[in-house]
Amino acid sequence: MRFKSFNIVHSQVWNVHYKNDIRYSLQMCQWLLQSIGVWPLVYEGTSKLEHVISVIVMTACFTLLFFIIVPSGHYIFYVEKNLNMKVKLLGPVGFCLSSTMKYFYLNLKGGVFKRCIEHVKRDWQVVQDPNHRTIMLKYVAISRHLITVYAVFLYTGGMSYHTVMQFLSKERSKSNYTLKPLTYPGCDWFLDEQSSPTYEIVFLSHCLAAMVMYTVTTATYSLAAIFVTHICGQIQIQIARLQELVEKKKKANDADRDPLTVIVHDHVEILRFSEDAEEALRTICFIQLIESTMNMCMLEYYCMTEWGNSDAIAVFTYFTLLLSFTFNIFIFCYIGEVLSEQCSLIGTVSYEIDWYDLSAREAYYLILLNIVSQYPPKLTAGKIIELSLKTFSSVVKTSVVYLNLLRTFTDW
């Protein structure tokens, strides 16, 4: 009976600003997911019209992505004979393929992401203490800054590669080109891509497909950043409650909710949300880990090659992309590290408070919190690799090893 009444009270809406808070916390993710048609699949309460528009947008996005993968894949493996050109095209086409896989996964697992977003919304509704709301807003601001920085790097480098570099690259200016430049070759076996307006349509399609790729990558990154920073905010709230526990126990009335019960209940909710977030993100993290390792290797190779050619525009473009992919996998690994550290911090705080002023039974509950905190939730890549700063260093080392292999292979 006690737990039933507690759940009823806990499910009430206490935060009068919850609508604005939810909008603020999910705003950037909503913009990204709406632009690729995924938002109605992950958010409760969208209209039928939004679902119809979503289907149309997703169909167009998949068409654009496959318009690159199929012709370019055929060109790389069956048409192009120059090994260096194969390597130069393999990175961009491989990124397009991995973006398509992440896009497909977002559509396939929309229900899992919806469950996580509903949990975030519910936490905003039930927060009561203004100080706790301030903590949550602080971590939302962190996630928004991370998403913004990553998007600036990725879109700047990516769109420069698809537009500026194709026309102003030194390699092009040194050659007597009569062909109009295209980022992805291979359409000439079924289209006259050099004639107008076919060339303009193909070039625009490549740029739109690039926007889809970068939006998908940024959207998956934004989901991970929002979920993990939200968990960190909830952990900080539990730490604040633990630090105030003894004083609240002394002042509590019989009619008040037991503060220790609130802490234990919310800690269990945090662990459940962590499991749901890990389930939603594990496949994306696995794809991202492989993609970042290979792309970092390729971009390092491209930077070295273009540096030897004294092509400043190409070097700047590739270096910007290298920074964005390095930053991406670093943040994935960093938030995995922070998630484990924050969740294990509850055990340390539960020991450092004045637990000896509590009754023996209540102190025993703190022992359970301490034990559970010794096995914190972890963000993994496919339930195979734990994401941490150690994993990031391994990714960097592996990309350099692959770079040496690639240089050896292409020099033969």
Side-chain angles (χ1 to χ4, degrees):
M1 191 69 182
R2 178 183 178 184
F3 289 100
K4 182 178 179 181
S5 61
F6 176 81
N7 290 331
I8 292 174
V9 173
H10 191 77
S11 63
Q12 294 177 353
V13 176
W14 296 96
N15 179 17
V16 295
H17 306 287
Y18 78 92
K19 290 184 179 179
N20 290 331
D21 292 341
I22 292 171
R23 187 181 302 111
Y24 177 69
S25 62
L26 299 176
Q27 187 179 54
M28 300 189 75
C29 181
Q30 180 180 354
W31 289 344
L32 293 165
L33 292 177
Q34 278 182 335
S35 63
I36 56 176
V38 180
W39 183 248
L41 302 180
V42 301
Y43 192 81
E44 194 73 38
T46 52
S47 64
K48 291 184 178 180
L49 177 61
E50 289 178 300
H51 280 272
V52 172
I53 296 174
S54 171
V55 173
I56 297 173
V57 172
M58 285 190 292
T59 302
C61 290
F62 275 114
T63 301
L64 289 170
L65 293 173
F66 282 109
F67 184 69
I68 291 177
I69 294 173
V70 176
S72 299
H74 176 268
Y75 181 85
I76 292 172
F77 293 105
Y78 297 103
V79 178
E80 182 60 57
K81 304 301 180 183
N82 188 297
L83 183 60
N84 290 322
M85 289 302 300
K86 285 178 180 283
V87 173
K88 196 168 185 178
L89 291 171
L90 196 58
V93 177
F95 176 67
C96 183
L97 180 61
S98 63
S99 299
T100 305
M101 294 170 63
K102 285 185 283 188
Y103 191 23
F104 179 76
Y105 181 80
L106 284 175
N107 286 271
L108 185 65
K109 294 292 184 177
V112 181
F113 288 102
K114 180 184 291 186
R115 188 163 67 244
C116 294
I117 290 176
E118 288 301 310
H119 193 115
V120 172
K121 292 169 59 179
R122 188 164 60 251
D123 286 341
W124 278 110
Q125 290 173 348
V126 301
V127 63
Q128 300 181 48
D129 193 322
N131 294 327
H132 296 170
R133 178 173 174 266
T134 301
I135 292 173
M136 295 173 68
L137 289 172
K138 171 187 172 183
Y139 279 90
V140 170
I142 292 173
S143 69
R144 289 171 66 96
H145 290 322
L146 291 174
I147 295 168
T148 302
V149 171
Y150 176 71
V152 168
F153 272 113
L154 186 60
Y155 282 97
T156 301
M159 295 315 297
S160 295
Y161 173 78
H162 284 80
T163 55
V164 177
M165 180 179 157
Q166 301 304 318
F167 293 94
L168 300 181
S169 174
K170 192 171 182 180
E171 177 183 352
R172 175 177 172 80
S173 62
K174 281 185 176 181
S175 304
N176 295 323
Y177 278 97
T178 56
L179 298 178
K180 299 175 183 177
L182 285 173
T183 310
Y184 304 97
C187 296
D188 52 347
W189 64 280
F190 64 94
L191 288 174
D192 183 9
E193 58 185 22
Q194 294 299 312
S195 63
S196 295
T198 306
Y199 169 78
E200 288 75 12
I201 294 173
V202 173
F203 184 83
L204 179 62
S205 299
H206 288 172
C207 292
L208 292 175
M211 292 295 294
V212 173
M213 289 185 277
Y214 303 139
T215 304
V216 168
T217 302
T218 310
T220 54
Y221 171 78
S222 69
L223 287 168
I226 288 171
F227 293 160
V228 174
T229 53
H230 181 78
I231 293 171
C232 292
Q234 295 300 303
I235 291 293
Q236 289 300 315
I237 290 174
Q238 300 313 307
I239 290 174
R241 286 173 172 170
L242 278 170
Q243 292 170 341
E244 301 167 354
L245 176 62
V246 176
E247 291 297 324
K248 284 190 175 182
K249 291 293 293 185
K250 292 178 180 179
K251 299 177 181 178
N253 299 321
D254 293 337
D256 295 334
R257 287 185 294 163
D258 184 3
L260 186 56
T261 303
V262 175
I263 291 173
V264 173
H265 175 274
D266 287 356
H267 186 232
V268 172
E269 289 297 311
I270 292 170
L271 294 178
R272 288 175 178 169
F273 178 58
S274 300
E275 292 178 359
D276 289 341
E278 199 278 332
E279 179 186 352
L281 296 172
R282 65 173 65 132
T283 302
I284 286 177
C285 290
F286 183 72
I287 298 172
Q288 190 65 49
L289 191 71
I290 298 175
E291 173 195 284
S292 296
T293 305
M294 301 308 298
N295 283 335
M296 287 169 64
C297 167
M298 293 291 184
L299 289 167
E300 289 162 358
Y301 176 80
Y302 299 155
C303 286
M304 294 179 64
T305 303
E306 299 302 337
W307 182 273
N309 296 333
S310 300
D311 193 340
I313 294 177
V315 170
F316 174 78
T317 302
Y318 287 134
F319 185 72
T320 305
L321 285 172
L322 178 60
L323 285 179
S324 67
F325 282 108
T326 305
F327 181 76
N328 188 6
I329 193 60
F330 170 76
I331 293 299
F332 267 98
C333 294
Y334 176 72
I335 62 179
E337 181 93 9
V338 170
L339 177 63
S340 298
E341 286 183 356
Q342 290 286 312
C343 291
S344 62
L345 194 59
I346 286 185
T348 304
V349 175
S350 66
Y351 178 77
E352 291 177 346
I353 66 173
D354 298 336
W355 53 268
Y356 41 80
D357 289 336
L358 301 173
S359 65
R361 183 176 181 181
E362 291 168 337
Y364 178 74
Y365 292 150
L366 292 180
I367 294 175
L368 294 178
L369 274 178
N370 206 325
I371 293 174
V372 171
S373 68
Q374 294 180 18
Y375 303 94
K378 301 180 185 299
L379 189 62
T380 65
K383 297 191 73 174
I384 300 173
I385 304 171
E386 177 186 340
L387 294 184
S388 62
L389 294 179
K390 184 178 179 180
T391 305
F392 172 71
S393 65
S394 299
V395 169
V396 175
K397 293 176 184 177
T398 304
S399 69
V400 174
V401 171
Y402 288 164
L403 170 64
N404 292 329
L405 290 174
L406 184 60
R407 291 181 63 192
T408 304
F409 184 68
T410 52
D411 287 340
W412 282 355

